[in-house]
Amino acid sequence: MERAFRERLFFALLCLSVPRRDCRYIEDNEVIQEELFSVLNSDLKRELPDASMYRRPLRCLDMVALEGQFTFTAARPQRGCASFFIAEPNKVFSLFYDHVNINCRGGDFIKVFDGWVMKGQRFPSLQDHPLPLHQRYVDYCKSDELSRRTGVRSSQNVFMLFFHIRHAGDGFTITVRQHLNPFPCNIISQTPEGRFTMVVPQQHRNCSFSIIYPVQLQISAFSLGRRSDPALPKMSVTGCSEAGDFVELLGGSGLDTSQMSPIAELCSSFNGPTQMKIGCDNTVLRLVSSGRFVNTLTFSYNLLDQHDLNSVDGFCFTE
């Protein structure tokens, strides 16, 4: 994807996460022009010394793809601030408060959300996340000292930090660590290309892999942990939900999988590539598991070239 297209896409998504009146400030912030997208580039990771902790200031609107120590100090009253944290697919985060100087009684707050929120849409969706919605928000001002010391841990490779600080000079310092996740579930991809295998080990849960780019997708293997049923179609527009274990292919412009359009469903194990082009801002593979089997899904994806993007003409398509 050309840089201009990526910037428009990410700016649109980020603007949807805050009140409309704050979008002009976001657009003028230098993070949008130079640094917000570069943190998604894996080359940045190789520039960091392994022996020392990465440290940098946190901006009112920010995206962070690294572990380290981050400090925010308000230069003026700040409202509607949001930091989007994203790791590699097989990682989760933990967050610890090193120092906090805010006025909770005066209306300041720092809230951690387990996932991402944009324009009221959440990833993972309510149907896919293991916790109820109220437990996914952790408010620093309402936490006790023990929970502040033990920190907050994410359930997947993304989480968000919301904060509102009314007085200049106030702020906070946090340390964010990344940890290996043996069975990654509910993932937002850092990059527009890659290869991944989702495994759900006999658990009654749904796992999504979200690619926020128009992509060419190739599914190379899909196993439900049971023999293929010839009565079930290999691929269909609808009709797999009765199987109990299946894959949904979804497309749309938001984050919430429950509000995305179905493209196809897979409900019969197979080996051999199935390839399609999907011109959506967000493409999701969603593995639905009943808990009776070990289900796996292997796929690869790469960015659609400019010719394909031009032919999409603003709507999702498959071929």
Side-chain angles (χ1 to χ4, degrees):
M1 185 183 301
E2 290 186 351
R3 180 180 175 85
F5 184 89
R6 290 183 61 194
E7 292 184 358
R8 288 197 300 271
L9 173 60
F10 271 92
F11 172 62
L13 290 173
L14 292 171
C15 270
L16 294 178
S17 68
V18 297
R20 290 182 180 273
R21 60 181 175 270
D22 293 331
C23 284
R24 175 53 55 186
Y25 169 70
I26 295 170
E27 188 175 18
D28 294 339
N29 194 319
E30 63 178 353
V31 66
I32 292 297
Q33 301 300 325
E34 297 298 334
E35 298 184 27
L36 184 57
F37 311 101
S38 65
V39 297
L40 294 178
N41 189 329
S42 60
D43 291 340
L44 180 60
K45 297 182 177 62
R46 292 193 290 268
E47 296 173 3
L48 301 175
D50 294 334
S52 62
M53 179 182 291
Y54 177 59
R55 293 179 173 86
R56 75 161 173 85
L58 201 63
R59 301 167 180 83
C60 180
L61 181 75
D62 215 335
M63 185 175 285
V64 181
L66 303 166
E67 63 178 5
Q69 189 177 72
F70 303 93
T71 298
F72 181 83
T73 304
R76 59 181 183 277
Q78 297 282 11
R79 62 181 180 181
C81 294
S83 296
F84 296 75
F85 289 79
I86 182 169
E88 295 178 0
N90 64 339
K91 300 288 184 66
V92 293
F93 286 101
S94 60
L95 177 148
F96 301 92
Y97 295 102
D98 300 320
H99 173 74
V100 178
N101 178 31
I102 64 173
N103 184 0
C104 291
R105 293 185 177 180
D108 293 355
F109 64 79
I110 306 171
K111 296 181 181 180
V112 177
F113 179 72
D114 192 7
W116 278 6
V117 181
M118 294 176 183
K119 200 181 179 181
Q121 293 195 23
R122 300 170 181 86
F123 182 91
S125 69
L126 301 182
Q127 294 89 338
D128 294 350
H129 200 279
L131 297 175
L133 182 60
H134 70 277
Q135 292 185 21
R136 295 172 65 181
Y137 288 93
V138 180
D139 191 334
Y140 172 86
C141 290
K142 296 180 180 179
S143 302
D144 56 31
E145 287 298 325
L146 177 61
S147 60
R148 291 176 183 177
R149 290 197 301 270
T150 56
V152 182
R153 194 178 181 100
S154 72
S155 302
Q156 61 287 308
N157 77 320
V158 294
F159 81 95
M160 286 185 67
L161 194 69
F162 298 96
F163 51 96
H164 180 114
I165 299 177
R166 297 166 57 91
H167 300 291
D170 289 355
F172 58 88
T173 297
I174 58 173
T175 294
V176 175
R177 295 293 190 186
Q178 297 182 11
H179 313 275
L180 283 174
N181 182 6
F183 295 106
C185 180
N186 296 324
I187 298 152
I188 292 181
S189 177
Q190 284 187 341
T191 61
E193 62 275 324
R195 179 180 174 85
F196 192 76
T197 297
M198 277 198 293
V199 180
V200 180
Q202 288 187 290
Q203 295 178 343
H204 180 47
R205 67 182 308 188
N206 307 323
C207 291
S208 294
F209 192 98
S210 178
I211 310 165
I212 46 180
Y213 303 88
V215 293
Q216 179 169 284
L217 181 67
Q218 184 177 80
I219 299 175
S220 55
F222 169 45
S223 173
L224 295 172
R226 56 176 166 81
R227 294 180 179 178
S228 300
D229 187 343
L232 295 175
K234 178 178 177 180
M235 177 178 290
S236 67
V237 176
T238 58
C240 283
S241 58
E242 294 183 1
D245 298 79
F246 61 97
V247 169
E248 285 184 306
L249 185 58
L250 305 169
S253 57
L255 286 180
D256 194 327
T257 56
S258 67
Q259 300 184 38
M260 299 177 72
S261 301
I263 297 173
E265 293 182 355
L266 305 172
C267 46
S268 183
S269 303
F270 68 88
N271 286 298
T274 295
Q275 184 170 297
M276 62 196 75
K277 296 176 182 178
I278 305 174
C280 297
D281 291 341
N282 189 11
T283 300
V284 171
L285 294 104
R286 183 170 180 259
L287 181 55
V288 179
S289 298
S290 65
R292 295 176 294 169
F293 312 105
V294 176
N295 294 331
T296 64
L297 172 67
T298 298
F299 57 92
S300 59
Y301 53 98
N302 60 274
L303 193 65
L304 289 179
D305 60 30
Q306 193 61 44
H307 173 75
D308 288 328
L309 285 174
N310 291 336
S311 67
V312 171
D313 195 28
F315 60 88
C316 300
F317 78 108
T318 61
E319 64 177 27

